[in-house]
Amino acid sequence: MDKLRSLEIFLATCDGGSFAAAARACSTDPSTVSKAIGRLEDKLGLTLFQRSTRQLRVTEAGQRYAQAVRKTLMDLSSCEDDLKHLNDSPSGTLRISSAVCYGHLYIRPLLHEFSQRYPAIRLELEISDLHADIIERDIDIAIRTGYLKDSRLVARRLSPMDFLICASPQYLQRKGTPGFAEDFVGHDWIGFRIKETQQLQPIFLPNAQGQYIQSELDRSHITDDGEAMAYMCSDGLGLAQLPHFLAKSGLESGELVSLFHPFRPPQQQNGVFAIYPKRTYLPARVRVFIEFLSAALSAKGEDPHHTWAENWLPLVHFSKNEKPDKQEVD
């Protein structure tokens, strides 16, 4: 059995947790898997798995070897992809993982045009807010709202993330338009609970000079789904501080209005990022998807440093040392 096949079987055993699972993944039988692992251990002079009648456990040496093998095979696969596609149209399976709201609102609507342009690329789209290990999951590219610090990954910012305080026109007619932070007393607020941490997302409100400060407010209603938050806001349940990609549709349709100039967190890690494994040879299917997505965002008025929200006309304007001016809500 060649060395490459043995390494593939070794990784399948690590991932599957048993010789039987590895055999199914590699289209062979458990005895072949057992012999391949045995030969690999003999050659290395190391025990890669602790065996018992009930379970198979990867040793510390096995874990370190698996990391090196996985990177080697990934680099080899990436190199082969690029070499195969130097003169051909990009092809193969493109595995995309996207944050839920961004995936539904920004990524999914683009896939038909992308597929027409690159018909040889087969798409696999995963929608999830969980920050899974994209290398172990064999994900080609992940779209995340927030930067992940991982030396194995490249994080390319697609756009900043701007937050707009929104309300429905009906809500403002009923409750009035707040001018700055002190005016929010007595207003209803829709909060967002982050699923992974179960913490409420902070709220930033403008002071009399239009400078945003973090504010402690009671939430009248709470949801852990971004699209539900936007719909609850447009339904008139209260005010909400929405990321620009969640607010866009409602603002354009008139179901929502933006009260103030958008708030942008100051951290360099703020934004929407395309994240992919660091490798010498970026697969052609990944490269063309990033180029396509960047062009589509540019058409929306977004790039790594700007979003369309910067130019959206808010209801409340701030003048230096003066009380904010409010537009009337129709």
Side-chain angles (χ1 to χ4, degrees), residues 164-165 257-262 309-318 325-327:
L164 302 102
I165 298 176
V257 293
S258 174
L259 272 64
F260 310 106
H261 190 74
E310 298 172 43
N311 299 317
W312 192 268
L313 187 64
L315 283 181
V316 181
H317 301 271
F318 292 90
D325 300 320
K326 304 177 186 177
Q327 297 181 37

Short mmCIF file of all heavy atoms in Angstrom, two decimals, residues 164-165 257-262 309-318 325-327:
data_model
loop_
_atom_site.label_atom_id
_atom_site.label_comp_id
_atom_site.label_asym_id
_atom_site.label_seq_id
_atom_site.Cartn_x
_atom_site.Cartn_y
_atom_site.Cartn_z
N LEU A 164 -27.10 50.36 12.70
CA LEU A 164 -28.06 51.45 12.61
C LEU A 164 -29.19 51.25 13.61
O LEU A 164 -29.72 50.14 13.74
CB LEU A 164 -28.65 51.54 11.20
CG LEU A 164 -27.65 51.73 10.06
CD1 LEU A 164 -27.41 50.40 9.35
CD2 LEU A 164 -28.12 52.77 9.07
N ILE A 165 -29.54 52.31 14.32
CA ILE A 165 -30.68 52.26 15.22
C ILE A 165 -31.93 52.48 14.39
O ILE A 165 -32.11 53.54 13.79
CB ILE A 165 -30.57 53.31 16.33
CG1 ILE A 165 -29.32 53.03 17.18
CG2 ILE A 165 -31.82 53.30 17.21
CD1 ILE A 165 -29.05 54.06 18.24
N VAL A 257 -36.96 52.90 9.35
CA VAL A 257 -36.23 54.15 9.18
C VAL A 257 -35.02 54.11 10.11
O VAL A 257 -35.03 53.44 11.15
CB VAL A 257 -37.10 55.39 9.50
CG1 VAL A 257 -38.21 55.54 8.49
CG2 VAL A 257 -37.68 55.30 10.91
N SER A 258 -33.95 54.79 9.71
CA SER A 258 -32.74 54.87 10.52
C SER A 258 -32.74 56.19 11.27
O SER A 258 -32.89 57.26 10.66
CB SER A 258 -31.50 54.76 9.62
OG SER A 258 -30.32 54.99 10.37
N LEU A 259 -32.56 56.13 12.59
CA LEU A 259 -32.65 57.35 13.39
C LEU A 259 -31.39 58.19 13.30
O LEU A 259 -31.46 59.42 13.25
CB LEU A 259 -32.93 57.00 14.86
CG LEU A 259 -34.40 56.85 15.25
CD1 LEU A 259 -35.06 55.70 14.52
CD2 LEU A 259 -34.54 56.66 16.75
N PHE A 260 -30.22 57.54 13.30
CA PHE A 260 -28.96 58.27 13.42
C PHE A 260 -27.95 57.78 12.39
O PHE A 260 -28.14 56.76 11.75
CB PHE A 260 -28.36 58.08 14.82
CG PHE A 260 -29.33 58.33 15.94
CD1 PHE A 260 -29.85 57.27 16.67
CD2 PHE A 260 -29.74 59.61 16.25
CE1 PHE A 260 -30.75 57.48 17.69
CE2 PHE A 260 -30.65 59.84 17.27
CZ PHE A 260 -31.16 58.78 18.00
N HIS A 261 -26.85 58.52 12.28
CA HIS A 261 -25.71 58.07 11.48
C HIS A 261 -25.23 56.75 12.07
O HIS A 261 -25.29 56.55 13.28
CB HIS A 261 -24.59 59.12 11.54
CG HIS A 261 -23.48 58.85 10.58
ND1 HIS A 261 -23.61 59.06 9.21
CD2 HIS A 261 -22.22 58.38 10.77
CE1 HIS A 261 -22.48 58.74 8.62
NE2 HIS A 261 -21.63 58.31 9.53
N PRO A 262 -24.78 55.80 11.27
CA PRO A 262 -24.43 54.47 11.79
C PRO A 262 -23.28 54.49 12.78
O PRO A 262 -22.39 55.34 12.72
CB PRO A 262 -24.08 53.68 10.53
CG PRO A 262 -23.73 54.70 9.51
CD PRO A 262 -24.59 55.89 9.81
N ALA A 309 -24.20 52.19 4.29
CA ALA A 309 -24.88 52.83 5.43
C ALA A 309 -24.30 54.20 5.75
O ALA A 309 -24.99 55.06 6.32
CB ALA A 309 -24.79 51.93 6.65
N GLU A 310 -23.03 54.43 5.38
CA GLU A 310 -22.41 55.73 5.65
C GLU A 310 -23.17 56.87 4.96
O GLU A 310 -23.17 58.00 5.44
CB GLU A 310 -20.96 55.72 5.17
CG GLU A 310 -20.08 54.71 5.88
CD GLU A 310 -18.71 54.63 5.23
OE1 GLU A 310 -18.15 55.69 4.90
OE2 GLU A 310 -18.21 53.51 5.04
N ASN A 311 -23.80 56.58 3.83
CA ASN A 311 -24.47 57.61 3.04
C ASN A 311 -25.99 57.59 3.20
O ASN A 311 -26.68 58.33 2.50
CB ASN A 311 -24.10 57.45 1.56
CG ASN A 311 -22.61 57.58 1.32
OD1 ASN A 311 -21.96 58.47 1.88
ND2 ASN A 311 -22.05 56.71 0.50
N TRP A 312 -26.48 56.74 4.11
CA TRP A 312 -27.93 56.67 4.31
C TRP A 312 -28.39 57.88 5.13
O TRP A 312 -27.81 58.20 6.15
CB TRP A 312 -28.32 55.38 5.00
CG TRP A 312 -29.81 55.15 4.94
CD1 TRP A 312 -30.73 55.51 5.87
CD2 TRP A 312 -30.53 54.54 3.87
NE1 TRP A 312 -31.99 55.16 5.46
CE2 TRP A 312 -31.90 54.55 4.23
CE3 TRP A 312 -30.17 53.98 2.65
CZ2 TRP A 312 -32.90 54.04 3.41
CZ3 TRP A 312 -31.16 53.46 1.84
CH2 TRP A 312 -32.50 53.49 2.22
N LEU A 313 -29.46 58.53 4.68
CA LEU A 313 -29.93 59.75 5.34
C LEU A 313 -30.71 59.39 6.61
O LEU A 313 -31.77 58.76 6.54
CB LEU A 313 -30.83 60.54 4.39
CG LEU A 313 -31.28 61.92 4.88
CD1 LEU A 313 -30.09 62.84 5.04
CD2 LEU A 313 -32.30 62.51 3.90
N PRO A 314 -30.22 59.78 7.81
CA PRO A 314 -30.92 59.47 9.05
C PRO A 314 -32.00 60.50 9.37
O PRO A 314 -32.03 61.58 8.79
CB PRO A 314 -29.81 59.50 10.10
CG PRO A 314 -28.86 60.54 9.58
CD PRO A 314 -28.91 60.43 8.07
N LEU A 315 -32.87 60.15 10.32
CA LEU A 315 -33.92 61.09 10.74
C LEU A 315 -33.36 62.22 11.59
O LEU A 315 -33.85 63.34 11.53
CB LEU A 315 -34.98 60.35 11.55
CG LEU A 315 -36.00 59.50 10.79
CD1 LEU A 315 -36.99 58.88 11.78
CD2 LEU A 315 -36.76 60.35 9.78
N VAL A 316 -32.34 61.91 12.41
CA VAL A 316 -31.83 62.89 13.37
C VAL A 316 -30.42 63.32 12.95
O VAL A 316 -29.56 62.48 12.69
CB VAL A 316 -31.80 62.29 14.79
CG1 VAL A 316 -31.27 63.31 15.79
CG2 VAL A 316 -33.19 61.82 15.19
N HIS A 317 -30.22 64.63 12.88
CA HIS A 317 -28.92 65.20 12.53
C HIS A 317 -28.37 65.96 13.73
O HIS A 317 -29.11 66.67 14.41
CB HIS A 317 -29.04 66.14 11.33
CG HIS A 317 -29.58 65.48 10.10
ND1 HIS A 317 -28.76 64.85 9.18
CD2 HIS A 317 -30.85 65.32 9.65
CE1 HIS A 317 -29.51 64.35 8.20
NE2 HIS A 317 -30.78 64.62 8.48
N PHE A 318 -27.07 65.83 13.95
CA PHE A 318 -26.45 66.50 15.08
C PHE A 318 -25.65 67.70 14.60
O PHE A 318 -24.90 67.62 13.64
CB PHE A 318 -25.52 65.53 15.83
CG PHE A 318 -26.26 64.44 16.54
CD1 PHE A 318 -26.53 63.24 15.90
CD2 PHE A 318 -26.70 64.62 17.83
CE1 PHE A 318 -27.22 62.24 16.55
CE2 PHE A 318 -27.39 63.62 18.49
CZ PHE A 318 -27.65 62.43 17.85
N ASP A 325 -31.40 68.01 15.30
CA ASP A 325 -32.57 68.32 14.46
C ASP A 325 -33.22 67.01 14.03
O ASP A 325 -32.56 66.05 13.66
CB ASP A 325 -32.13 69.09 13.21
CG ASP A 325 -31.46 70.40 13.56
OD1 ASP A 325 -31.95 71.07 14.49
OD2 ASP A 325 -30.46 70.74 12.91
N LYS A 326 -34.56 66.99 14.06
CA LYS A 326 -35.29 65.79 13.67
C LYS A 326 -36.13 66.06 12.45
O LYS A 326 -36.77 67.12 12.33
CB LYS A 326 -36.22 65.33 14.81
CG LYS A 326 -35.52 65.08 16.13
CD LYS A 326 -36.55 64.71 17.18
CE LYS A 326 -35.90 64.60 18.55
NZ LYS A 326 -36.90 64.31 19.60
N GLN A 327 -36.15 65.07 11.54
CA GLN A 327 -37.09 65.13 10.43
C GLN A 327 -38.43 64.57 10.87
O GLN A 327 -38.53 63.79 11.80
CB GLN A 327 -36.57 64.29 9.26
CG GLN A 327 -35.25 64.77 8.68
CD GLN A 327 -34.84 63.89 7.52
OE1 GLN A 327 -35.69 63.44 6.75
NE2 GLN A 327 -33.55 63.66 7.37
#
